[in-house]
């Protein structure tokens, strides 16, 4: 499965995704783009992806920073799986307007 469109920009330590549009049921943030690690997810980066009540989002542990509103506007996700640790999500002070299960596979924390 692959994103239909990814917009990105260089950031410290790699690249940041500014837009990811996917029609896949399991949306996967890539670990790298053009040989550079994906380290950041930008503001409302999934805006434009179709809504569905049974989709999931997978984020690799290479992503170590998120805009506060990275997940704003996301509808239809049932699960967000992050391969990193909960501390990274906490430090990003993400807005919590979504209603889905979040699993941090790096430390086994979920809510």
């Amino acid at each position: 499965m692959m994103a239909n469109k990814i917009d990105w920009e260089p950031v410290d330590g790699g690249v940041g995704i500014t837009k990811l549009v996917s029609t896949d049921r399991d949306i996967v943030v890539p670990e790298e783009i053009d040989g550079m690690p994906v380290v950041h997810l930008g503001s409302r980066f999934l805006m434009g992806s179709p809504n569905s009540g049974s989709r999931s989002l997978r984020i690799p542990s290479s992503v170590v920073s998120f805009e506060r509103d990275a997940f704003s506007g996301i509808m239809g996700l049932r699960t967000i799986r992050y391969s990193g640790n909960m501390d990274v999500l906490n430090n990003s002070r993400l807005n919590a307007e979504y209603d889905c299960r979040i699993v941090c596979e790096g430390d086994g924390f979920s809510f």
Side-chain angles (χ1 to χ4, degrees):
M1 293 182 195
M2 189 73 169
N4 299 88
K5 177 183 177 174
I6 297 178
D7 293 338
W8 58 275
E9 62 189 14
V11 297
D12 287 343
V15 299
I17 293 179
T18 57
K19 183 177 215 65
L20 189 155
V21 178
S22 177
T23 57
D24 293 335
R25 195 174 177 134
D26 187 22
I27 302 167
V28 178
V29 173
E31 288 188 53
E32 62 178 43
I33 296 175
D34 288 345
M36 297 177 288
V38 174
V39 297
H40 181 76
L41 296 181
S43 176
R44 302 171 71 93
F45 79 101
L46 281 177
M47 287 298 292
S49 286
N51 297 331
S52 169
S54 60
R55 299 179 84 188
S56 64
L57 173 66
R58 294 182 178 274
I59 303 169
S61 60
S62 63
V63 176
V64 293
S65 69
F66 301 80
E67 290 296 324
R68 277 194 79 174
D69 63 347
F71 299 126
S72 292
I74 296 175
M75 297 176 70
L77 284 179
R78 73 175 189 286
T79 305
I80 296 173
R81 292 191 174 279
Y82 176 52
S83 295
N85 296 321
M86 185 64 192
D87 288 343
V88 174
L89 294 179
N90 280 338
N91 290 338
S92 297
R93 301 180 189 264
L94 295 166
N95 292 338
E97 65 180 49
Y98 41 89
D99 184 23
C100 67
R101 182 169 182 231
I102 298 178
V103 177
C104 294
E105 296 169 340
D107 55 13
F109 189 82
S110 67
F111 60 98

